[in-house]
Amino acid sequence: MRRRMFLALGSIAALLLLSSIISLVEYIRMNSYVSEKIAKNINCLNQSQKLADMASEFNLEMLSVVMSQDLTKMGKFSPEGFTLQCDTLRHSLASPKAAPATDKVMVSFESFLRASLKLEEVFQSDSVSTEAWFFEELQPKYVQLRKDINSLNTVIHDELLANSEGFDQSFYRGIMPGMVAVGAGLLLVFLLMYFINVLYINPLYKISDGIDNYRSSGKNFSYDFEGDDQIANINTGVTELTEENAELKRRISVLRHNSLQSRNSLHKDEVSE
């Protein structure tokens, strides 16, 4: 009986422990994976903001030159840095929309850069107004570049949102084994209660009822069930004891009857004498 109880309870404990370990490992793995992707998305947003800041700074420098008519105010701008930043973004993003959006930014930047290279030529020309050239030819290309950068930001935000939703899904995936284990554990507990009731509690009640019937009415104790455990041993012992007790009572009754007959016979003999 003790072994069966240990096996039943041990199996439930082992199942719950195993499922808890699986849930923990799965959650840690998914949390690390999704957190890394979210960190990449945030880094991409920062890089995209750097692109916008670089383009804005370059555009403001050109506007300052145009308004002051002084080419010496033109700072040094590195197109290679802008291009390298775009390439980094292209390889960091996993969304299928990321590559076309990054390409559009590169195309717009190259168009804006080619137009900006005409600044010195326009500045030295007497037939072209630098202000008109800036606002009519260069500025629309800058606006298009900022528009494409904003579109790229939208793609990055969408990917970040998808990864955030993936984090929620990974959380539920991580706790699912634990929930399944709890359900299975409850089922095993109910099954254990059922078998304890069938194999141990009901037999004990029937043995107790049989003993009460034997005491109250002298009815023979007879209860048979399958098994070779301690309950069966108790039942066998109680059966033997009640049978021996009934036999002992029968013998005592016979002895009392014989003794009474002997007394009656002696009494008759004395009376007859």
Side-chain angles (χ1 to χ4, degrees), residues 172-238:
Y172 290 111
R173 285 181 59 187
I175 66 174
M176 275 304 295
M179 296 175 63
V180 171
V182 170
L186 292 175
L187 178 61
L188 289 176
V189 168
F190 285 121
L191 289 175
L192 180 61
M193 293 173 59
Y194 170 77
F195 284 114
I196 289 176
N197 184 65
V198 171
L199 297 177
Y200 301 109
I201 297 178
N202 286 343
L204 287 175
Y205 270 93
K206 290 183 178 180
I207 292 173
S208 178
D209 292 339
I211 293 174
D212 291 338
N213 292 332
Y214 174 77
R215 287 175 175 175
S216 60
S217 61
K219 184 178 179 181
N220 290 334
F221 178 86
S222 60
Y223 174 56
D224 296 326
F225 60 90
E226 297 180 358
D228 57 353
D229 54 7
Q230 287 79 6
I231 299 295
N233 187 37
I234 292 173
N235 180 66
T236 302
V238 171

Side-chain angles (χ1 to χ4, degrees), residues 36-55:
E36 183 180 352
K37 294 184 69 175
I38 292 176
K40 285 184 177 180
N41 291 144
I42 295 175
N43 185 46
C44 288
L45 284 174
N46 293 332
Q47 292 178 359
S48 179
Q49 184 61 43
K50 287 181 180 180
L51 291 179
D53 292 342
M54 291 170 66

